[in-house]
Amino acid sequence: MNDEMTASDGVTPNDESSTGDRLTTGDGLTTGDGLTTRDGLGTTPPLSEFTTMRVGGVPQALIAPADTDALVAAAREVWASGEDWLLLGGGSNTVASDEGFDGTVIRVVTRGVERLDAPEGRVRLRVQAGEPWDDVVALTVRNGWSGVEALSGIPGSTGAAPVQNIGAYGQELESALLGVDFLDAGTGEVRRLSRADLELGYRTSILKRGLLGVVLTVDLELADNSVPGGVGAPLSAPVAYAQLAESLGVPLGSRVPVAELRRAVLALRASKGMVLDPADPDSVSAGSFFTNPIVSESFARSLPANAPRWPVTPPEPDVVIGLPAGGVHPLDIPPLADGPYDVKLSAAWLIENAGIRRGFSLPGSGAAISSKHTLAIVNRGHATAADIGQLASFIQARVQAEFGVLLRPEPVLVGLTL
């Protein structure tokens, strides 16, 4: 186990005991100490500097408290002022307007991972909200712990993960999540929200549906698959997605070395421009711009027979669908039984079959559809937020006209309306 970590004492409202172990995730500590400036003269930088889409104007103020105590105090002060506020983590799921934000942006940059006491064969971690999510996944893989390895490569902060209930390639955060410590904007108090309290669903939670506040820490429980004495390789959770199983060359349900599964997921995501990479212009995006629509079984039967669809009762984990030339893997599409129940459609398929291809761009726009993945809108280097919004609205209109389905944006839109 690693023996070094950066962690604040923070606010820990529950009484769960801790081993005191500190675990190192990334390359160092990213903190702030009040107003973030670009040139030391009090200039507030634009939101484009803190979002993966690289658009967004200058906010009225931007703060980045260095630890949990400072974050709690700063948030309470902002809320008491009555001014507008915006919470910003890794910026991978935010598209902000060119006019900026008329209020205070609170950047969550708190760092630290602590190992808690856990039942035999299990590992429990308390992760500060500002930890980059993929650093946390990498940490678990290095230590031979399984449960979130298929969520490798998802950008953004750990605190944002339960808001969206992130999921991909057969795993969802919900399966590993114990709960969060949450600063409630309504009461100003720190409280514990369990997994059940969060009311998690497909790309949603009570936090996304209107409970305002700040996630301070996230507690995870994983399987400890490390091998005593270092003999053999720690194994992953069972592979639960056909496209991933095929890339690994194993049957569905197999367990493979956890590091091997992480490498396969990162390769799949990179092939779709879904791993942040300075050398890949298709990664200058907010990831999947639209969620896969959930419709009734009866409506799904009205679509073309080759439209991918998955029953979602119970809900199925999400996955980024690249729609290769051969189509979606047939094993990933179960046959529809007689209803009634809900069905998840492929937003990527709807977009492509509405006549919008990879690389498509409106005339004169700096925004385009990714050349690798139809669900991503990318900034080609000179896009404005208005360009992003215009292209997204065009896509919505085409899909609705062709199939009667209104696509819903997945990113948080700040000052933009579709």
Side-chain angles (χ1 to χ4, degrees):
M1 181 187 305
N2 300 313
D3 57 5
E4 179 187 2
M5 185 49 200
T6 53
S8 66
D9 293 332
V11 178
T12 308
N14 60 24
D15 59 359
E16 198 167 0
S17 61
S18 166
T19 66
D21 292 339
R22 299 292 188 268
L23 308 173
T24 302
T25 56
D27 297 328
L29 180 66
T30 302
T31 63
D33 56 0
L35 179 66
T36 301
T37 61
R38 176 167 46 201
D39 54 14
L41 302 176
T43 302
T44 303
L47 291 173
S48 59
E49 294 190 8
F50 305 108
T51 59
T52 56
M53 186 68 88
R54 298 182 192 168
V55 297
V58 177
Q60 179 178 305
L62 191 149
I63 58 175
D67 57 40
T68 304
D69 290 335
L71 175 59
V72 169
R76 286 172 174 164
E77 183 178 351
V78 170
W79 297 339
S81 73
E83 65 185 61
D84 288 339
W85 59 281
L86 171 67
L87 198 65
L88 187 65
S92 63
N93 201 47
T94 300
V95 182
S97 76
D98 302 310
E99 286 70 37
F101 180 70
D102 189 18
T104 297
V105 175
I106 305 171
R107 287 190 68 217
V108 179
V109 296
T110 53
R111 300 291 291 268
V113 180
E114 184 178 5
R115 185 169 179 177
L116 308 175
D117 287 338
E120 185 175 356
R122 309 295 292 176
V123 174
R124 289 181 176 175
L125 303 178
R126 175 160 297 151
V127 185
Q128 295 292 320
E131 279 287 345
W133 171 253
D134 192 53
D135 285 359
V136 176
V137 178
L139 167 72
T140 68
V141 170
R142 285 200 304 271
N143 284 277
W145 306 328
S146 69
V148 294
E149 59 275 13
L151 306 182
S152 291
I154 296 178
S157 64
T158 298
V163 178
Q164 287 282 105
N165 187 25
I166 59 175
Y169 296 107
Q171 281 184 348
E172 245 178 1
L173 178 71
E174 181 176 7
S175 64
L177 182 67
L178 290 176
V180 305
D181 290 342
F182 181 73
L183 177 62
D184 193 314
T187 65
E189 298 300 317
V190 176
R191 60 185 175 120
R192 182 71 171 175
L193 296 177
S194 68
R195 176 171 50 200
D197 294 332
L198 289 167
E199 299 178 13
L200 300 170
Y202 168 61
R203 287 319 135 258
T204 191
S205 68
I206 194 173
L207 305 176
K208 188 172 182 178
R209 295 193 297 269
L211 181 60
L212 297 179
V214 183
V215 173
L216 302 174
T217 63
V218 175
D219 284 10
L220 304 172
E221 182 172 293
L222 309 164
D224 186 357
N225 296 320
S226 56
V227 181
V231 179
L235 298 180
S236 69
V239 179
Y241 202 80
Q243 185 185 32
L244 179 57
E246 186 174 57
S247 72
L248 288 163
V250 299
L252 275 171
S254 302
R255 300 177 70 200
V256 301
V258 66
E260 183 180 342
L261 189 140
R262 173 172 165 80
R263 285 192 294 270
V265 168
L266 289 173
L268 284 170
R269 292 185 65 91
S271 71
K272 301 163 187 174
M274 291 294 175
V275 175
L276 296 179
D277 181 357
D280 182 4
D282 279 325
S283 72
V284 185
S285 75
S288 297
F289 201 92
F290 298 103
T291 58
N292 290 324
I294 305 294
V295 301
S296 69
E297 171 268 341
S298 59
F299 180 88
R301 290 185 184 278
S302 72
L303 296 172
N306 63 335
R309 63 202 84 192
W310 298 265
V312 291
T313 307
E316 294 287 338
D318 186 25
V319 67
V320 172
I321 300 170
L323 293 183
V328 179
H329 196 291
L331 293 181
D332 288 333
I333 307 175
L336 288 183
D338 291 335
Y341 54 87
D342 288 337
V343 173
K344 180 173 69 174
L345 306 177
S346 165
W349 186 94
L350 294 170
I351 293 169
E352 288 199 6
N353 286 271
I356 300 174
R357 304 302 185 193
R358 300 174 193 182
F360 172 83
S361 180
L362 295 171
S365 176
I369 299 293
S370 167
S371 67
K372 298 183 178 72
H373 176 34
T374 319
L375 261 187
I377 295 176
V378 302
N379 182 343
R380 298 194 296 186
H382 58 281
T384 64
D387 289 340
I388 304 297
Q390 185 181 35
L391 179 55
S393 295
F394 179 83
I395 294 168
Q396 283 182 316
R398 287 292 296 268
V399 170
Q400 188 168 26
E402 187 70 24
F403 299 109
V405 177
L406 178 61
L407 295 180
R408 302 291 184 183
E410 184 168 325
V412 175
L413 305 180
V414 180
L416 295 173
T417 303
L418 297 183

